[in-house]
Amino acid sequence: RAHELAEAGGLPAFVYDLAALDEHAAAVRDALGDVELYYAAKANPDPELLRVLARHVDGVEVASGGELAHVLGVLPEVPIAFGGPGKTDAELAAALDAGVARLHVESPGELRRLIATGREADILLRVNLAVSLGDVALAMGGGATPFGMDPDDVTVCLDLLDRQEAVRLRGVHAHLASGLDAERMLQVNDQVLGYARSLGVTEINLGGGMAVSYADPGDRFDWAAYGKGLAGLRRSGETLRIEPGRSVSVYCGRYATRVIDVKRVHGRLFAVVAGGTHHIRTPATKGHSQPVIPGVPGEPITIGGQLCTPKDQLAENVPLALEPGDVVEFAMAGAYAWNISHHDFLMHPHPGFHYV
């Protein structure tokens, strides 16, 4: 499809393999057993991907009023969990109007504003526990971060909830880190479950953050081991829920583009391609090379885009022979690519979106 698009002048473009996504999501669902699976729409809210995932997930997690409206526009009947650290009054109202299944409350202040509406809601308290995370790709908790609340503020929230009846506590939510393998994820989950049990709640959302390796795309999160481990941790009567994003959709997408120029600067070989990190921001933000689909071997070459910044680099020292006009395809572009990028910097054309 990428070469067909190139011949038609249709690059750069994202191409999504819906069959591969369907197969992967089915395998994840099968591995989890009784654990509920919500998809984190922030990873990639593409409507076609959402429709495929709807066959396998129990719901969708959103983190803004915009995501809420978008997901319900595509999947009107899907259960929604509404999270995010900075919900406005308008977003809280939109969530209540939509009848979301769960609101993830981030602070006593947010809870006070929710209670002040006088409306009914089912909530989880997002907790930020001081647990040991080790070396992680991104720490969302485990210490002083603006996400969720520490146990002292949880106590404040419990007191607020005891004084009224409209807002109902259903459990806790904890998304503490990204980049954990199955073993370490289970170790963190065990600590979260211990805390939840100390509060006497039986519904626990363990978040996402399953490890994804851009350096070794074949090294995938062990869903079978994780599902088995969660089954061992879960107690009778408990509802466990996870909300992965990247680890579900990242593998189904490619970013395809074409080479505009090849040049040598101070001995180093560069290829400049159409598009760049304003289409696929991930390699710049995470400081890695986006995996390139192998082609004709050649001298190591660094591939960058069209932006006026040295940070517009997609892959470094790729052993690939490239010439102007060649098609280059980047793998693992199904999550945190287009939707996280600064689309209009320099006002280049937006990419196309295609599906196989």
Side-chain angles (χ1 to χ4, degrees):
R1 178 59 64 87
H3 287 272
E4 292 172 0
L5 291 169
E7 291 174 4
L11 298 182
F14 287 91
V15 183
Y16 297 121
D17 186 339
L18 300 182
L21 176 64
D22 187 60
E23 181 180 2
H24 178 57
V28 172
R29 171 69 276 167
D30 184 62
L32 291 174
D34 293 333
V35 175
E36 292 186 3
L37 172 63
Y38 274 49
Y39 172 66
K42 64 179 69 69
N44 190 337
D46 183 277
E48 293 302 319
L49 271 63
L50 290 175
R51 292 187 183 100
V52 171
L53 291 171
R55 306 167 193 164
H56 307 289
V57 301
D58 297 288
V60 176
E61 184 266 343
V62 303
S64 73
E67 283 193 347
L68 174 66
H70 173 77
V71 170
L72 289 178
V74 179
L75 305 173
E77 304 299 323
V78 73
I80 296 285
F82 193 112
K87 304 179 196 68
T88 65
D89 289 344
E91 287 175 320
L92 290 174
L96 295 171
D97 290 343
V100 299
R102 293 293 182 268
L103 266 169
H104 298 165
V105 172
E106 292 267 345
S107 71
E110 185 176 286
L111 180 58
R112 290 187 183 97
R113 290 190 289 119
L114 179 60
I115 291 173
T117 68
R119 301 178 63 179
E120 294 186 348
D122 293 306
I123 70 166
L124 303 182
L125 297 177
R126 181 171 180 180
V127 299
N128 181 341
L129 303 178
V131 302
S132 176
L133 298 173
D135 184 21
V136 297
L138 184 66
M140 307 288 287
T145 72
F147 302 102
M149 57 190 119
D150 60 30
D152 288 344
D153 270 351
V154 171
T155 300
V156 173
C157 287
L158 295 176
D159 182 57
L160 291 169
L161 290 165
D162 283 342
R163 301 178 194 175
Q164 54 79 62
E165 296 180 353
V167 178
R168 298 173 290 265
L169 176 64
R170 298 305 188 191
V172 298
H173 170 274
H175 176 53
L176 301 180
S178 293
L180 299 175
D181 62 22
E183 181 180 0
R184 293 171 64 208
M185 182 74 76
L186 289 167
Q187 292 169 357
V188 172
N189 292 168
D190 188 34
Q191 296 177 77
V192 172
L193 287 168
Y195 177 74
R197 289 163 185 157
S198 75
L199 299 179
V201 298
T202 57
E203 181 177 320
I204 307 98
N205 185 323
L206 297 165
M210 292 71 185
V212 166
S213 174
Y214 289 88
D216 182 5
D219 181 17
R220 298 197 180 190
F221 186 80
D222 191 340
W223 287 104
Y226 187 57
K228 183 178 180 180
L230 285 180
L233 291 176
R234 178 175 172 267
R235 291 182 181 176
S236 177
E238 289 183 335
T239 297
L240 303 188
R241 182 179 304 124
I242 63 169
E243 51 185 38
R246 189 193 310 266
S247 56
V248 173
S249 64
V250 70
Y251 302 104
C252 79
R254 289 190 185 183
Y255 177 63
T257 186
R258 58 182 176 79
V259 178
I260 297 173
D261 195 12
V262 175
K263 56 185 175 180
R264 194 179 298 277
V265 182
H266 293 292
R268 188 177 178 186
L269 194 59
F270 292 90
V272 180
V273 299
T277 57
H278 54 302
H279 292 172
I280 179 168
R281 185 71 179 153
T282 324
T285 55
K286 291 181 70 68
H288 67 236
S289 290
Q290 195 70 17
V292 181
I293 302 301
V296 177
E299 179 184 346
I301 190 168
T302 295
I303 304 172
Q306 294 175 285
L307 301 183
C308 298
T309 167
K311 294 183 179 297
D312 186 19
Q313 183 171 302
L314 299 174
E316 186 174 11
N317 293 329
V318 182
L320 193 62
L322 293 176
E323 298 291 339
D326 286 349
V327 173
V328 183
E329 295 178 72
F330 296 90
M332 298 182 68
Y336 295 107
W338 170 247
N339 64 307
I340 203 175
S341 302
H342 50 310
H343 306 157
D344 292 326
F345 180 45
L346 297 196
M347 299 184 178
H348 285 293
H350 290 183
F353 295 85
H354 304 271
Y355 309 88
V356 294

